[in-house]
């Protein structure tokens, strides 16, 4: 049986469906924010021990109730969702640039890739993997883009800190 505090958190997370900032979860539940990680861990432990198909994901400073990955094929079949198209190598390049250097502008991405990437950025925004942030205090006030919680879920990351380190690339010596 779940502790009352865990049951309250479970009810809020279930009703939301989307990631909820821990600060909002604390305010809604009346549970101090510092206690939430342990209670959410207790909830996950209870789910695992009883063989439930649910789990709580902690993404950055948010929490979301979702199903365990091994049940995804059954859910997809039940909901008759169309399989989304895989990401192209170019889209993965854009996501990599954004993940490691965010917030980034379309111009920055184009500079790194050496080709205009506006269409790819727009597509990734439509797919929910990138989102528009604030406008930067630069000429033209460009929009800064950043990755989303959907990006983290898609790649199985709890936070951007889980990204693998970039490889060291030696800079060739210049000979004049």
């Amino acid at each position: 049986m779940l502790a009352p505090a865990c049951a309250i958190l479970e009810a809020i997370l279930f009703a939301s469906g989307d990631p909820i900032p821990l600060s909002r979860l604390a305010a809604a539940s009346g549970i101090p924010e510092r206690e939430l990680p342990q209670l959410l861990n207790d909830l996950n432990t209870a789910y695992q021990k009883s063989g439930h198909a649910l789990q709580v994901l902690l993404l950055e400073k948010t929490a979301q109730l979702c199903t365990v990955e091994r049940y995804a094929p059954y859910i997809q079949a039940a909901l008759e969702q169309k399989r989304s198209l895989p990401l192209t190598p170019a889209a993965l390049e854009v996501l990599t640039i954004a993940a490691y250097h965010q917030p980034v502008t379309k111009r920055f991405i184009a500079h790194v890739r050496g080709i205009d990437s506006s269409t790819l950025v727009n597509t990734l925004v439509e797919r929910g993997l990138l989102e528009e942030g604030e406008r930067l205090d630069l000429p033209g006030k460009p929009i800064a883009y950043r990755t989303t919680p959907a990006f983290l879920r898609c790649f199985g990351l709890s936070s951007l800190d889980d990204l693998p380190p970039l490889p060291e690339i030696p800079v060739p010596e210049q000979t004049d």
Side-chain angles (χ1 to χ4, degrees):
M1 184 166 176
L2 287 178
C6 287
I8 291 168
L9 296 174
E10 178 184 46
I12 294 169
L13 291 171
F14 176 80
S16 170
D18 292 324
I20 299 177
L22 294 181
S23 58
R24 189 178 322 153
L25 192 56
S29 67
I31 299 168
E33 188 172 343
R34 68 182 180 283
E35 295 178 20
L36 292 179
Q38 182 59 51
L39 289 168
L40 295 170
N41 186 48
D42 293 347
L43 185 56
N44 265 336
T45 301
Y47 286 152
Q48 290 170 352
K49 283 184 179 178
S50 61
H52 274 74
L54 300 176
Q55 65 180 345
V56 177
L57 287 182
L58 290 172
L59 307 165
E60 301 259 313
K61 293 184 179 187
T62 65
Q64 180 176 18
L65 186 65
C66 63
T67 56
V68 175
E69 187 176 346
R70 70 176 168 266
Y71 298 109
Y74 305 105
I75 295 165
Q76 288 171 342
L79 299 177
E80 298 178 354
Q81 292 181 341
K82 293 180 182 175
R83 189 169 174 228
S84 61
L85 297 173
L87 295 170
T88 65
L92 289 172
E93 282 179 11
V94 170
L95 282 173
T96 301
I97 294 165
Y100 282 97
H101 300 286
Q102 62 186 304
V104 295
T105 62
K106 288 179 180 179
R107 184 173 179 181
F108 177 82
I109 293 169
H111 175 75
V112 172
R113 293 191 67 231
I115 188 169
D116 180 58
S117 303
S118 296
T119 302
L120 281 171
V121 171
N122 293 341
T123 300
L124 292 168
V125 168
E126 288 173 14
R127 292 177 94 175
L129 298 173
L130 290 179
E131 64 185 1
E132 293 183 359
E134 295 183 18
R135 292 192 174 269
L136 299 179
D137 192 20
L138 297 171
K141 301 283 186 187
I143 297 171
Y145 294 88
R146 61 182 174 257
T147 56
T148 65
F151 165 83
L152 295 174
R153 284 191 303 275
C154 182
F155 290 94
L157 303 170
S158 295
S159 75
L160 292 174
D161 294 334
D162 293 340
L163 286 169
L166 290 172
E168 292 288 329
I169 300 174
V171 177
E173 291 183 29
Q174 291 190 6
T175 55
D176 291 327

